[in-house]
Amino acid sequence: MASVQGTAVDITTEDGVADAYVAHPGDGLPHPGVLLYMDAFGLRPHLESMADRLAGAGYTVLVPNVFYRHGRTPVFDLPEFIDPSARPEIWGQIGPVMQSLTPELAMRDAGAYLRWLADSPLVAGGPVALTGYCMGARLALFTAGTFPDRVAAAAGFHGGRLATDAPDSPHLVAEHVTAEVYFGHADEDGSMPPEQQQLLEETLTAAGVRHRCEVYPGAHHGYTQADTAAYSKEGDERHWAALLDLLKRTF
C-alpha cells in the first residue's frame, strides 16, 4: 500500500456546502478518481479508512457528506460500534434524513461532486468510478445513469430498494448507463429480496449494460461496515476483491 494523505474539504453545491473527506496517494500526482457514497450512518472514521485503502491502491477518493443539508459531520450522535438493535432510536433519527434526500436533490449534488473531481489537480482526467454502500448503492446507480459521460464504472454493495415499482426506482435509469456495473447483494437483506434482484438483473441485461450481480451468502445488509453489527469479514474481503478488480479493468 502506497503512502496516503487524507484531508477534509468543502464542496460548494447548488444548495450549500457539503463537507467531505478526500484521500489520495502521497506522491502528489493525479490519479483516477473514485466517488465513494456513504451508507446511512454517514461520513465517519470507518468510511475514511475505506477511502484510505482505495487511495493506497492508487486512486483519489472523495467521500461527501450527502446529508450536509442537515449539518456538518457528524450529522448523528453515533456510538463507536453501531448496533441498531441495541439502540433502535438511531433509525428514528436517520430515517427522516434519508427520506429527505430525494433523487432530484441527490443528483443535483452529484453534479457538484463530479465537478470537484474534474477540477482537482489530484484527479487524472477522464471519467471516474463510483462505489456505494447501503443507500449509497442507490446513489451510485442514479449517478451512473444521470451522468453517463462522467462515469466509467459503478459498484454497489448491500444496496436496498434498487429495483422497486416506485416511479423513481434506481433501476429505471439503466437505459442511460454506459459504465460497467457491479452489485454485491446481501442474501439476508429484506430491503433487496430475490424479486428485486431479478428485476435489476433483467433490466440491466435488457439495457445492454455490462454488469455482474452477485449474491453474498450469509451476508446481512451492511456487511462491509466493520464498525457495525452487520459486518462480515468474508463478505467484506469479497467486496474488496470485486471492487478492486472492477477498478483495475476500468482504469
Side-chain angles (χ1 to χ4, degrees):
M1 179 173 173
S3 64
V4 168
Q5 293 182 3
T7 187
V9 297
D10 283 344
I11 300 174
T12 300
T13 74
E14 293 184 36
D15 298 323
V17 176
D19 55 299
Y21 178 77
V22 61
H24 58 91
D27 57 12
L29 299 174
H31 291 269
V34 178
L35 174 57
L36 191 159
Y37 276 124
M38 67 186 214
D39 62 358
F41 296 128
L43 179 53
R44 59 193 191 282
H46 174 63
L47 289 185
E48 293 178 0
S49 72
M50 293 179 74
D52 290 347
R53 180 167 175 173
L54 277 176
Y59 304 97
T60 295
V61 187
L62 179 67
V63 192
N65 166 23
V66 303
F67 292 155
Y68 71 89
R69 291 176 180 82
H70 299 268
R72 297 180 68 85
T73 301
V75 177
F76 309 111
D77 180 19
L78 296 173
E80 190 171 327
F81 181 76
I82 305 167
D83 183 357
S85 66
R87 286 187 54 187
E89 74 278 5
I90 288 175
W91 289 121
Q93 302 170 29
I94 295 175
V97 175
M98 285 181 60
Q99 293 169 12
S100 70
L101 185 64
T102 64
E104 179 184 4
L105 291 178
M107 290 306 95
R108 206 153 71 202
D109 294 340
Y113 307 148
L114 293 171
R115 283 191 297 274
W116 188 93
L117 288 166
D119 293 342
S120 173
L122 298 171
V123 181
V128 303
L130 315 171
T131 184
Y133 302 87
C134 299
M135 59 166 272
R138 290 170 52 87
L139 298 180
L141 182 51
F142 273 129
T143 303
T146 305
F147 301 94
D149 60 327
R150 292 288 296 123
V151 179
F157 299 91
H158 46 82
R161 297 183 58 78
L162 294 173
T164 72
D165 58 3
D168 59 356
S169 175
H171 79 289
L172 297 176
V173 305
E175 62 181 313
H176 305 296
V177 173
T178 58
E180 182 176 350
V181 172
Y182 177 91
F183 287 103
H185 304 307
D187 73 344
E188 303 290 334
D189 188 351
S191 68
M192 193 64 190
E195 57 269 23
Q196 285 196 42
Q197 296 174 21
Q198 181 178 350
L199 178 56
L200 178 62
E201 173 71 34
E202 292 173 349
T203 305
L204 292 172
T205 299
V209 177
R210 291 167 297 149
H211 71 282
R212 188 161 87 250
C213 298
E214 298 182 321
V215 179
Y216 289 24
H220 294 268
H221 185 80
Y223 62 78
T224 64
Q225 304 301 297
D227 61 348
T228 76
Y231 179 69
S232 162
K233 187 174 187 296
E234 181 179 355
D236 187 31
E237 290 176 351
R238 182 175 175 181
H239 135 262
W240 279 112
L243 177 58
L244 291 172
D245 179 63
L246 176 67
L247 295 179
K248 191 178 298 184
R249 291 198 308 277
T250 303
F251 299 114

